[in-house]
Amino acid sequence: MVIVLNGSERRKHSDYFDQLFRLRHQIFVKQRGWPLPSVNSFEIDQYDTEDAVYFLDLDRDGAIQGTVRMTPTVKSSLLADYFPHLVENGQAPRSPHIYEATRYIVLPSYKTREALRSAKARLLTVLVEWCLSKRLSHLQAVIDSVALSSFVEITPRTTPLGLSHPYGGGRATPGGGECLAFRWPISLEVLEDVRAYGVLEGQPPRFADFDRVSRHASATQLH
């Protein structure tokens, strides 16, 4: 089950946020070796503000098995602040109609290709539905260049904003890696692509229930 929490709810839902920040520390700091700010095994950065929106895919025990953070680019944009050179098509990296996805993690309980596709689609379906409900025009992200093909597989409407460029990496990328930025248009066609990727066709939209889920998440049995 995917729930959506606002950054302003960090104190109200501290159990979920504590689990989230610990998971991010485990994945990005310990496993990937990124030199990110962390305290007491929590990875929290300058984009974890009250304006951030968090999508959490929870298993039956309430453990996070997938997550992504969305931020309004007019205030919080990794692309605009640190990687503006990745935009080579003349488009502005900030817009009130564009949100940015960061800290994307998918860890399905079963390590099969089908389970991974389903987990990605489950999380990203709710993400796109939320973007549609907010009348956004695009979402954008900075990714490792090798991951581009996986996003194109999800939807062929994935559009790079420029070529790959090097960045300084952690232990997995001695001397640096390659990254690029892309955008998805927010449309029903992209939503259909994501659902088809995870074999989720025919399921009704779920973004109408976001406010109810967010208000009652800590007191509701998760399925």
Side-chain angles (χ1 to χ4, degrees):
M1 176 180 178
V2 178
I3 65 170
V4 183
L5 298 175
N6 295 318
S8 59
E9 298 177 289
R10 190 189 299 186
R11 181 174 298 179
K12 179 180 179 181
H13 298 294
S14 60
D15 50 345
Y16 287 131
F17 280 98
D18 287 355
Q19 183 186 169
L20 170 64
F21 295 141
R22 287 194 184 97
L23 176 62
R24 282 174 25 180
H25 181 271
Q26 176 66 31
I27 297 297
F28 297 116
V29 178
K30 297 189 69 175
Q31 293 185 14
R32 301 201 64 177
W34 289 0
L36 301 173
S38 58
V39 178
N40 297 326
S41 296
F42 280 18
E43 188 276 300
I44 303 173
D45 67 15
Q46 70 269 38
Y47 301 121
D48 290 306
T49 67
E50 291 193 352
D51 296 313
V53 183
Y54 302 84
F55 297 76
L56 308 179
D57 183 16
L58 307 174
D59 66 16
R60 291 180 179 273
D61 297 320
I64 297 173
Q65 57 182 348
T67 180
V68 64
R69 176 182 65 190
M70 290 285 279
T71 56
T73 57
V74 290
K75 295 182 178 181
S76 303
S77 171
L78 181 70
L79 178 61
D81 294 340
Y82 294 98
F83 297 97
H85 55 284
L86 297 181
V87 183
E88 299 176 313
N89 61 359
Q91 298 189 32
R94 297 187 192 272
S95 166
H97 305 294
I98 298 175
Y99 268 58
E100 189 167 293
T102 50
R103 296 301 190 266
Y104 175 59
I105 299 171
V106 178
L107 298 171
S109 301
Y110 298 100
K111 310 301 181 184
T112 65
R113 181 175 182 272
E114 291 75 18
L116 181 59
R117 289 172 68 101
S118 179
K120 288 180 180 180
R122 188 166 55 246
L123 181 65
L124 295 175
T125 291
V126 176
L127 177 66
V128 175
E129 288 172 352
W130 181 87
C131 291
L132 282 166
S133 75
K134 299 300 181 182
R135 301 181 183 274
L136 300 182
S137 64
H138 295 82
L139 69 81
Q140 69 186 25
V142 176
I143 60 170
D144 286 322
S145 299
V146 295
L148 177 63
S149 61
S150 66
F151 287 97
V152 173
E153 185 180 11
I154 295 171
T155 174
R157 299 167 225 277
T158 302
T159 304
L161 299 180
L163 300 175
S164 296
H165 287 267
Y167 72 94
R171 291 186 297 271
T173 54
E178 295 283 331
C179 64
L180 57 78
F182 77 86
R183 278 183 182 164
W184 278 0
I186 301 304
S187 66
L188 290 175
E189 290 78 13
V190 169
L191 179 59
E192 291 171 358
D193 289 343
V194 175
R195 286 176 170 171
Y197 171 82
V199 196
L200 301 177
E201 302 98 321
Q203 294 191 12
R206 288 170 287 180
F207 61 78
D209 292 329
F210 280 2
D211 290 340
R212 176 184 59 78
V213 170
S214 179
R215 286 196 300 271
H216 300 292
S218 61
T220 302
Q221 184 175 1
L222 303 173
H223 300 284

